[in-house]
Amino acid sequence: MNSSVSKNYDLIASIFDQDMALNMRFNDVGFYLDRVAGKSSVLEVGCGTGRISIPISKVCGELVGIDASVPMLLELRKKLHDASDDIPDIQLVAMDASAIVLQKKFDYIFFGFSSINYLTHPEQVKNFLLSLKPLLNDGGCVLLDAFTPKPVARLATGWTDDYVRSVPSGGLLKRFKRITPEGDINFIQRRYEEYSVQGDLERVINTESRIRPYTPDELCSFLQATGFKVSAEWWNYGEGDGAGADFYSVEAMLVQ
């Protein structure tokens, strides 16, 4: 990750659950539940506000969640504090994915919600994978999921209307987006407008980020180059095949 990515999430932490958390069209949470059920120790890299963390904490032993954005972690901590049902304790650590330092080992480590696409250079992905190796127990697994590459047309009209959604306050959240291809990288600009119940514009948030979609072959080659062996793969979180899939997930174990 880089500072601009974490800054973006700092800015949208309070609206994340009405924003990106609602954009997933597939049951990725159920997919992860199946992957980690019964595992004694799990590490979620990029846990955010807990969309995935909270449900999976109920089916595994110890769960550690790391995220570079402190405001996102604070949103998750508030959910845990306010929860009416019994949620197992989740150890939360403010830490960047590109510099993981933990004195623990895990049975399962995953980097979900296509967050690996923020690592826009292959060497960053490889270094990330190398950093996970000393954190794995014998027989442990890592899992990555990523956006698959798709053609992105330069938008002749600039900004496009992305969505209009209701927010808990009763107001509205509007998002506009512009994507500019930069070779293998997509430069993404987003503009958020928050409106009160009365329709008054209360806040504007502008974010910029760069992502790099990776092909399945690229992700597998990164894993193999860093000492992992691919053990399973899925498209659209097990709901599709490789033809035109939006997401690719791959699980791998250390080569013994």
Side-chain angles (χ1 to χ4, degrees), residues 4 21 52 64 67 93 116 120 125 131 141 156 186 195 236 247 249:
S4 64
I52 299 172
V64 176
D67 202 286
V93 183
I116 198 163
T120 55
V125 179
S131 74
C141 292
N186 295 329
Y195 291 85
N236 289 346
F247 300 95
S249 304

Side-chain angles (χ1 to χ4, degrees), residues 14-224:
S14 64
I15 59 172
F16 180 83
D17 289 348
Q18 287 77 50
D19 178 37
M20 295 184 182
L22 295 181
N23 291 344
M24 175 54 67
R25 299 182 293 110
F26 304 101
N27 184 18
D28 61 335
V29 174
F31 171 81
Y32 284 111
L33 285 169
D34 290 342
R35 304 282 79 74
V36 307
K39 302 294 184 186
S40 296
S41 53
V42 176
L43 171 64
E44 180 183 3
V45 181
C47 62
T49 64
R51 185 181 68 89
I52 299 172
S53 308
I54 291 175
I56 70 169
S57 70
K58 300 176 183 180
V59 301
C60 66
E62 178 187 30
L63 174 62
V64 176
I66 68 170
D67 202 286
S69 171
V70 171
M72 293 282 279
L73 291 174
L74 290 175
E75 291 291 327
L76 173 48
R77 178 57 65 191
K78 183 177 185 297
K79 289 180 185 178
L80 296 175
H81 180 268
D82 295 344
S84 58
D85 57 343
D86 185 23
I87 297 177
D89 184 51
I90 303 172
Q91 182 180 345
L92 302 178
V93 183
M95 186 177 294
D96 195 284
S98 63
I100 300 177
V101 180
L102 293 170
Q103 303 302 314
K104 293 178 179 289
K105 287 183 176 287
F106 301 90
D107 296 330
Y108 209 90
I109 301 173
F110 70 95
F111 197 16
F113 211 30
S114 301
S115 297
I116 198 163
N117 293 120
Y118 286 118
L119 303 180
T120 55
H121 300 285
E123 288 306 311
Q124 290 178 309
V125 179
K126 293 178 184 177
N127 289 336
F128 167 71
L129 293 171
L130 288 171
S131 74
L132 301 184
K133 293 174 71 173
L135 301 178
L136 279 173
N137 285 323
D138 291 343
C141 292
V142 300
L143 189 146
L144 312 174
D145 72 40
F147 291 120
T148 56
K150 295 190 182 296
V152 177
R154 189 180 298 272
L155 301 174
T157 57
W159 294 91
T160 59
D161 296 348
D162 214 2
Y163 64 69
V164 179
R165 291 175 181 162
S166 299
V167 293
S169 66
L172 293 176
L173 175 66
K174 297 182 181 181
R175 192 175 85 173
F176 307 87
K177 182 168 65 176
R178 178 164 60 190
I179 303 176
T180 305
E182 297 179 346
D184 294 328
I185 296 170
N186 295 329
F187 176 51
I188 304 175
Q189 296 167 284
R190 294 184 176 93
R191 173 185 170 90
Y192 298 86
E193 296 180 357
E194 289 187 79
Y195 291 85
S196 69
V197 176
Q198 293 76 24
D200 298 322
L201 178 61
E202 295 188 320
R203 182 167 65 144
V204 174
I205 303 172
N206 291 292
T207 67
E208 296 180 350
S209 60
R210 286 175 170 81
I211 67 165
R212 179 173 179 165
Y214 290 106
T215 67
D217 285 346
E218 286 176 314
L219 285 180
C220 289
S221 70
F222 298 152
L223 287 161
Q224 292 162 1

